[in-house]
Amino acid sequence: MSLKDHLLAQIALNGPLSVAEYMAECLMHPEFGYYATRDPLGAQGDFVTAPEVSQMFGELIGLSLAQIWMDQGKPERFVLAELGPGRGTLMADILRATRTVPGFHAAAHIVLLEASPTLRGIQAQTLGGFDPKWVDSVSDLPNAPLFLVANEFFDALPIRQFLRDGDGWRERLIGTKDEALAFGLGPHGPQVALLDRLEDTKDGDLVELCAAAIPILTVIAGRIATHGGAALIVDYGDWHSLGDTFQAVRAHDQVDPLATPGQADLTAHVDFEPLALAARAAGCAHTRLTPQGVFLERLGITARAQALAAQLGGSELESLIAAHRRLTHPEEMGNLFKTLGLYPSYSAPPPGLEP
Ligand code: SAH
């Protein structure tokens, strides 16, 4: 049986799936799920993330976290956490960049939130020397100052899609047509969660909701507000997003999200506005949403690239220059990707970000 057969049978039995239910099955089904069964990252895989593009990304984030830790009086014990650490590359770069910061490693208790057993195995190899602990939920994060990073995690959380129809909405659903998966629309109805979106949308507009992100943000923000620390959330998306951003990527190409369930990465752009509102509601301050290119430039990526370039030549130098451009240039990742920082309202915002 394939995941497609499983989904067709499920739809025949229970009716169409929401996009969120479809995403959750495709990404995390224990037997056939995309993340549950493979390492999707890197040139040989399906997509490349910022930490996999260059060590500079994680190094700058690591130094930024160490700066915040020092600014907050160097708490003796803190949680250094990552959501969806992939291969563990970002955390490894954070730890390498901070190894000369006196006391930082000794105070850090590394905690990783990862749903995929395959990727947990790879993270264990990358980070084994640092004795990381894995958790299934952010509520399992220890009660302590929390320094957290999440790169390309929130885009993988399931979203629901709603199409505006007069004064109500119709949910975009996944059913079947001629033995294949096909998009359709649910019945017309009001949506309490979208009442405020009646003001800024018109007939035919599509709005996405990521319900799963809110409890995660609430816990993280609550820990930071109560115990101190900071969070850096980096992802593609925008503030108050509008339109269909549900997409599938396989072998570095966009593909039909319904064509090969479980074989392609499924994501949606992150709407940072509800994340920021959830943080605020939990008593935590947040920064302005800042393009990744601007954020990395402010942290000194160009100086870091120049220092690395001084030791390189030939193709290594060329790939360093390409990596710098890829991470920062507005036509590459620089503008599509954004950073949101969370921090205690009594302290300064993270370096490179503004209140
Ligand atoms: N942060 C890494 C990997 C990004 S890919 C990088 O930048 O390279 C998304 C990561 O989030 C993977 O590790 C995936 O297994 C994990 N993930 C996705 N959905 C998750 C969920 N609901 N709970 C826990 N981990 C999840």
Side-chain angles (χ1 to χ4, degrees):
M1 198 184 209
S2 67
L3 183 58
K4 188 170 172 190
D5 294 335
H6 166 76
L7 292 170
L8 289 172
Q10 200 178 329
I11 292 168
L13 199 64
N14 300 322
L17 302 169
S18 68
V19 174
E21 288 165 331
Y22 177 74
M23 274 182 93
E25 289 279 62
C26 289
L27 294 179
M28 291 299 173
H29 186 283
E31 196 181 337
F32 306 114
Y34 178 77
Y35 280 113
T37 54
R38 75 192 71 208
D39 169 12
L41 290 146
Q44 312 301 320
D46 291 312
F47 59 94
V48 178
T49 57
E52 303 292 338
V53 168
S54 167
Q55 65 185 77
M56 295 185 288
F57 183 79
E59 288 171 349
L60 294 169
I61 290 200
L63 293 177
S64 167
L65 293 178
Q67 184 65 53
I68 306 167
W69 176 72
M70 290 189 278
D71 290 347
Q72 293 187 11
K74 301 187 185 177
E76 270 172 29
R77 192 100 184 103
F78 69 92
V79 174
L80 179 56
E82 181 170 0
L83 308 183
R87 287 184 179 160
T89 308
L90 171 56
M91 187 55 83
D93 290 338
I94 289 173
L95 290 165
R96 198 184 53 259
T98 53
R99 97 193 137 197
T100 53
V101 177
F104 188 78
H105 279 203
H109 172 38
I110 294 158
V111 182
L112 309 172
L113 176 83
E114 174 57 66
S116 157
T118 309
L119 290 175
R120 277 191 187 199
I122 297 172
Q123 292 154 21
Q125 282 172 17
T126 316
L127 301 168
F130 294 96
D131 194 23
K133 297 282 178 291
W134 283 266
V135 291
D136 294 323
S137 155
V138 284
S139 51
D140 298 330
L141 290 170
N143 273 307
L146 174 64
F147 291 76
L148 178 139
V149 290
N151 185 63
E152 289 206 40
F153 169 77
F154 284 95
D155 65 64
L157 296 184
I159 53 133
R160 289 171 72 186
Q161 296 189 315
F162 296 91
L163 198 73
R164 172 92 186 256
D165 181 5
D167 283 346
W169 303 87
R170 297 180 70 185
E171 181 160 13
R172 199 164 179 230
L173 298 174
I174 294 159
T176 55
K177 196 178 171 204
D178 305 331
E179 285 299 293
L181 296 163
F183 283 113
L185 288 173
H188 179 277
Q191 284 293 335
V192 177
L194 292 174
L195 273 179
D196 62 328
R197 298 305 306 263
L198 288 174
E199 284 161 29
D200 71 321
T201 54
K202 57 181 187 330
D203 238 14
D205 279 349
L206 189 141
V207 172
E208 297 175 336
L209 283 183
C210 182
I214 304 305
I216 297 176
L217 246 289
T218 303
V219 171
I220 295 170
R223 291 283 202 287
I224 294 170
T226 310
H227 302 286
L232 295 171
I233 299 169
V234 186
D235 225 310
Y236 40 91
D238 219 324
W239 191 262
H240 201 69
S241 60
L242 182 66
D244 176 15
T245 72
F246 181 47
Q247 63 169 22
V249 169
R250 191 173 182 185
H252 307 274
D253 279 327
Q254 292 235 7
V255 295
D256 174 353
L258 303 189
T260 53
Q263 313 274 319
D265 187 35
L266 296 181
T267 66
H269 284 203
V270 175
D271 182 357
F272 285 92
E273 185 182 32
L275 305 192
L277 291 178
R280 223 182 285 167
C284 185
H286 65 83
T287 67
R288 262 185 237 186
L289 190 61
T290 305
Q292 171 173 299
V294 173
F295 174 59
L296 294 176
E297 287 294 355
R298 287 179 184 159
L299 293 182
I301 193 170
T302 299
R304 180 66 186 131
Q306 281 162 350
L308 289 169
Q311 303 152 27
L312 301 176
S315 65
E316 284 179 332
L317 180 58
E318 274 169 34
S319 52
L320 175 78
I321 294 166
H324 174 272
R325 183 186 152 89
R326 186 146 179 210
L327 291 176
T328 58
H329 197 280
E331 280 166 19
E332 304 228 15
M333 297 171 84
N335 208 25
L336 175 64
F337 282 72
K338 313 277 194 309
T339 311
L340 182 74
L342 309 185
Y343 60 105
S345 48
Y346 52 81
S347 75
L353 299 172
E354 299 159 324

